[in-house]
Amino acid sequence: MAAAASGGGGAGSLPLLPLLLLLRLLPAAPAGMLQPRDTPSRERRELGGLWSFRADLSPGRDAGFAQRWYRRPLRQTGPVIDMPVPASFNDITQDPSLENYIGWVWYDKEVLLPLRWLQGDPAPRVVLRFGSAHYYSIVWVNGVQVVEHEGGHLPFEADISSVVQGSPGALCRITVALNNTLTPHTLPPGSIQYMTDKTRYPKNYFVQNIKFDFFNYAGIHRPVVLYTTPAAYIDDITVTTTSSESVAMVQYQVSVVGSTAYSLSLSLRDQEGKEVATGDGPVGELKVLNPNLWWPYLMHENPGYLYSLEVKMQAQVAGALLEDIYTLPVGIRTVHVTSTQFLINGRPFYFHGVNKHEDADIRGKGLDWPLIVKDFNLLRWLGANSFRTSHYPYAEEIMDLCDAYGIVVIDESPGVGIKLPESFGNKSLQHHLAVMEELIRRDKNRPSVVMWSVANEPASELPPAAHYFKTVIAHTKALDPSRPVTFVTDANYALDHGAPYVDVICVNSYFSWYHDPGHLEVIPLQLTAQFENWYKTYQKPIIQSEYGADSVPGLHSDPPMMFTEEYQTAMLREYHSVFDKKRKEYVIGELIWNFADFMTSQGTTRVLGNKKGIFTRQRQPKAAAFVLRDRYWKIANESSCLPPVVTSHSLFL
């Protein structure tokens, strides 16, 4: 990705993050970060819409810090433009330098807070929360720094009570400095390369190199929310479940902040509002008779069943009785892995699904409700029961619908493109461990999440990968013993140093595309050998976590030629013939690459992005979508206890 000339630093240095080490002065985020919800004790206000925006075009990209743009409204520092939030900033304007910009950009927005948020004894706690911003964020409120965060795909927040309650009036000015530079130690990694040949490049010209195949969109990608809690509040809830046909146990742990003198009561209700179990205290379990289990889509006539767990806290603070109420959706289900099967609620589950991207025209990776709902309708039309969050955690709003609709999720960290030896060092490892902590903290209670994936296609054949993945996977299991852990490999089975530590083998292969291009006849032999070698070596169930071919919609040839719709469908059928043999043994899933076409960096192998989608970027079906739909519904009809569904090319859902 090319960038405008920038000063500061010599060849190979990182010119755009000059202040990060100096700015890491704030305390770590608290243990809990419950998803903001409106409750009788909490209020929530979304700050979406237009924000003021300015890219720092100074030679060193450091004018915003040198001139302290956070001290006053951004419009007073120089020219600003309107920027929608949430959205990526890259494709919003006609400015190619912004599309490919690397460095610091600045946002700000002024909002008025309700007076009831600023008054009381004790006054409520006011929290500012970002669903995600890519990649490094520093946030000020009324000129006071309140939080900084590294990582582009997970939430972060700050208690801003003392700032806003100590300011005159109810004005709250939020300023965000955001940097999308990637280094060998970020997730995903990248590197800055200076072009020093002055006969070919301008002075201080550099590019951002990446080792992953999707566009490095940047911006405030998910909702920004202000919310309140009482001064003493429920900080975190952890839920795990066990079940049989007649009884289930819901184990819980609740933490409270702001008071040591408090009481807790819990009430579990079904979808009709009937109370089915109660409890009290910070740790315990709820017994549910004849439970409605959480089942995946197409595995039960009522998939995605969710109970509501209401947690109520009462505490004495400064002579006042405070009450906090939080309601958590709870799905009762179990997950278990054997050497040949993946079991949900004790029944074999076969992943027939997709890989996806948060990616669409204009908005880039910005959250968009119409697009989200369209995608779920297409998933259900397709007969897909699952997807992997390739290659980063998806928005909480997407995960909410997975819980509600029964779509099974392999929840993946942003560990994509870990190729350089320096990306396996201690600095990278410590950051990776922190990212897994954030991911599990956010998604640990979701019934749709059945497995964690710590990385995609790392250079796991390198010797340092053994210690690296042993450590990351052990840390992940320690944080959440209830779910299996994997990473997705494209390494040779005999050379992969990380595979010994996973519970499920996830393997990507593109036979007759990146290997032996055009030769569909090699797929049965090569794919069969792939499965047999992996299983013989590790005796673990296998998911074909990626396979596919690019197709340009409307491009046809017979016999099939690469990049035509016919070639894409022919490749799928060759893979499917092998899947059908091996899923009777130890293959437990198939995830097509990809659900929809998506944008990538420019290159000679990409024509306006990656075209391996079975849907176009605008969500229109290619021929492969109908092939996959027929297959997925056939598999669902074979394995389901439900009446068979007759599919056609008409819309099902």
Side-chain angles (χ1 to χ4, degrees):
M1 185 182 299
S6 172
S13 69
L14 182 64
L16 305 175
L17 305 180
L19 304 179
L20 292 189
L21 293 178
L22 296 176
L23 289 169
R24 291 182 180 178
L25 302 175
L26 296 179
M33 196 183 293
L34 294 171
Q35 187 174 353
R37 301 183 189 278
D38 288 306
T39 78
S41 61
R42 299 178 175 219
E43 290 188 69
R44 176 177 177 273
R45 181 177 177 185
E46 288 201 15
L47 303 183
L50 296 181
W51 289 49
S52 295
F53 176 88
R54 183 179 180 186
D56 188 340
L57 298 174
S58 63
R61 302 291 202 265
D62 57 357
F65 293 101
Q67 299 171 17
R68 300 182 180 182
W69 290 355
Y70 51 86
R71 288 283 186 89
R72 49 186 172 155
L74 195 60
R75 64 183 179 274
Q76 296 179 7
T77 69
V80 298
I81 61 173
D82 288 335
M83 184 61 64
V85 171
S88 301
F89 62 71
N90 307 81
D91 294 343
I92 298 298
T93 75
Q94 301 307 108
D95 185 351
S97 67
L98 189 59
E99 180 181 25
N100 296 303
Y101 179 87
I102 302 295
W104 290 103
V105 299
W106 292 71
Y107 292 77
D108 87 345
K109 188 178 185 68
E110 296 178 337
V111 297
L112 289 173
L113 302 183
L115 286 177
R116 64 182 176 277
W117 287 19
L118 309 176
Q119 300 171 346
D121 187 18
R125 174 173 167 264
V126 182
V127 183
L128 172 63
R129 189 180 199 269
F130 291 76
S132 78
H134 188 76
Y135 174 80
Y136 201 105
S137 306
I138 306 172
V139 182
W140 296 261
V141 172
N142 295 341
V144 178
Q145 185 178 332
V146 295
V147 69
E148 58 181 299
H149 181 258
E150 180 177 0
H153 310 281
L154 289 164
F156 57 97
E157 65 181 27
D159 183 337
I160 63 170
S161 308
S162 61
V163 177
V164 296
Q165 291 163 359
S167 299
L171 182 68
C172 176
R173 187 181 74 255
I174 302 165
T175 307
V176 183
L178 187 61
N179 195 306
N180 62 343
T181 305
L182 301 178
T183 79
H185 309 295
T186 57
L187 280 184
S191 61
I192 295 293
Q193 180 182 3
Y194 276 90
M195 302 304 188
T196 57
D197 185 344
K198 296 181 181 179
T199 66
R200 301 179 63 189
Y201 303 101
K203 183 180 179 182
N204 291 323
Y205 188 86
F206 67 91
V207 293
Q208 169 79 81
N209 291 324
I210 54 177
K211 300 290 185 180
F212 53 85
D213 187 32
F214 55 94
F215 194 81
N216 186 36
Y217 279 114
I220 301 176
H221 283 152
R222 296 174 190 162
V224 183
V225 176
L226 283 167
Y227 72 93
T228 65
T229 74
Y233 60 96
I234 299 163
D235 178 58
D236 196 24
I237 305 169
T238 301
V239 168
T240 57
T241 62
T242 58
S243 68
S244 64
E245 290 185 1
S246 59
V247 64
M249 303 303 295
V250 178
Q251 295 86 22
Y252 65 85
Q253 183 171 340
V254 181
S255 63
V256 171
V257 171
S259 175
T260 57
Y262 64 87
S263 63
L264 283 168
S265 61
L266 298 90
S267 174
L268 188 69
R269 299 181 182 275
D270 64 18
Q271 289 187 349
E272 285 70 47
K274 179 183 176 182
E275 188 175 76
V276 298
T278 60
D280 57 70
V283 179
E285 61 181 13
L286 308 176
K287 184 177 182 179
V288 184
L289 299 178
N290 302 313
N292 291 298
L293 300 184
W294 187 94
W295 287 102
Y297 176 53
L298 300 177
M299 205 170 175
H300 191 271
E301 62 184 4
N302 188 13
Y305 192 96
L306 295 173
Y307 291 85
S308 295
L309 178 63
E310 182 186 83
V311 182
K312 182 182 295 186
M313 179 221 71
Q314 290 186 328
Q316 288 284 344
V317 177
L321 178 63
L322 301 182
E323 183 174 80
D324 190 22
I325 299 173
Y326 189 87
T327 302
L328 179 75
V330 172
I332 298 174
R333 64 104 181 93
T334 61
V335 173
H336 183 64
V337 176
T338 73
S339 61
T340 59
Q341 291 181 316
F342 195 99
L343 304 175
I344 296 180
N345 299 331
R347 285 178 49 189
F349 177 78
Y350 186 78
F351 295 80
H352 47 90
V354 303
N355 294 277
K356 294 180 87 275
H357 266 297
E358 290 182 317
D359 172 276
D361 291 329
I362 302 175
R363 61 193 62 77
K365 291 192 179 301
L367 182 94
D368 182 80
W369 272 114
L371 184 74
I372 291 171
V373 174
K374 177 68 173 179
D375 281 1
F376 274 96
N377 283 333
L378 289 174
L379 285 170
R380 294 187 292 178
W381 173 85
L382 194 64
N385 63 7
S386 54
F387 65 75
R388 174 168 63 113
T389 68
S390 48
H391 298 297
Y392 38 81
Y394 290 176
E396 289 162 291
E397 292 79 0
I398 293 174
M399 305 299 286
D400 287 342
L401 291 185
C402 290
D403 289 338
Y405 294 165
I407 301 297
V408 170
V409 177
I410 301 173
D411 207 352
E412 190 161 272
S413 85
V416 57
I418 305 176
K419 302 292 189 181
L420 301 174
E422 54 262 51
S423 295
F424 289 94
N426 283 335
K427 184 175 181 181
S428 296
L429 177 58
Q430 292 305 312
H431 178 52
H432 203 147
L433 298 178
V435 169
M436 294 311 301
E437 291 172 8
E438 291 186 26
L439 174 58
I440 291 170
R441 176 177 64 185
R442 194 194 75 166
D443 289 346
K444 62 186 174 183
N445 295 321
R446 296 190 177 278
S448 60
V449 175
V450 300
M451 184 158 55
W452 305 112
S453 172
V454 301
N456 177 77
E457 295 187 358
S460 51
E461 70 281 359
L462 296 178
H467 171 72
Y468 189 94
F469 285 109
K470 179 180 181 180
T471 304
V472 173
I473 291 171
H475 187 64
T476 302
K477 286 178 172 289
L479 292 168
D480 177 22
S482 71
R483 291 177 177 87
V485 181
T486 189
F487 75 89
V488 176
T489 182
D490 64 348
N492 183 284
Y493 75 96
L495 302 176
D496 195 307
H497 292 291
Y501 307 107
V502 302
D503 298 302
V504 174
I505 301 291
C506 288
V507 59
N508 295 348
S509 59
Y510 290 89
F511 304 125
S512 83
W513 189 258
Y514 295 124
H515 312 281
D516 301 297
H519 293 280
L520 294 166
E521 66 276 6
V522 307
I523 292 176
L525 177 64
Q526 294 183 4
L527 185 57
T528 299
Q530 167 197 281
F531 287 141
E532 292 178 349
N533 287 331
W534 277 104
Y535 191 75
K536 181 179 179 181
T537 304
Y538 292 104
Q539 300 290 303
K540 297 175 181 178
I542 302 171
I543 296 175
Q544 183 72 41
S545 41
E546 288 183 26
Y547 71 104
D550 285 79
S551 68
V552 178
L555 191 61
H556 300 282
S557 75
D558 186 27
M561 302 284 286
M562 292 180 71
F563 291 97
T564 65
E565 293 193 48
E566 288 76 14
Y567 191 89
Q568 186 182 37
T569 59
M571 173 185 277
L572 266 57
R573 288 191 171 104
E574 293 290 348
Y575 268 80
H576 295 165
S577 66
V578 179
F579 294 162
D580 283 338
K581 296 174 183 177
K582 294 302 179 182
R583 68 186 173 99
K584 300 173 183 177
E585 302 176 36
Y586 47 75
V587 170
I588 61 168
E590 54 191 78
L591 304 177
I592 188 71
W593 189 268
N594 191 282
F595 173 74
D597 295 344
F598 57 91
M599 188 52 63
T600 65
S601 299
Q602 297 185 63
T604 54
T605 61
R606 296 286 176 253
V607 182
L608 287 179
N610 189 305
K611 295 293 192 291
K612 291 189 180 68
I614 59 170
F615 298 100
T616 67
R617 201 181 189 208
Q618 294 72 37
R619 275 48 178 185
Q620 297 305 311
K622 303 178 189 177
F626 299 105
V627 170
L628 208 63
R629 180 172 192 252
D630 289 343
R631 173 171 179 78
Y632 283 179
W633 281 105
K634 180 181 178 182
I635 293 173
N637 287 334
E638 289 173 357
S639 60
S640 177
C641 59
L642 303 177
V645 176
V646 178
T647 63
S648 69
H649 289 173
S650 61
L651 185 66
F652 176 72
L653 284 171

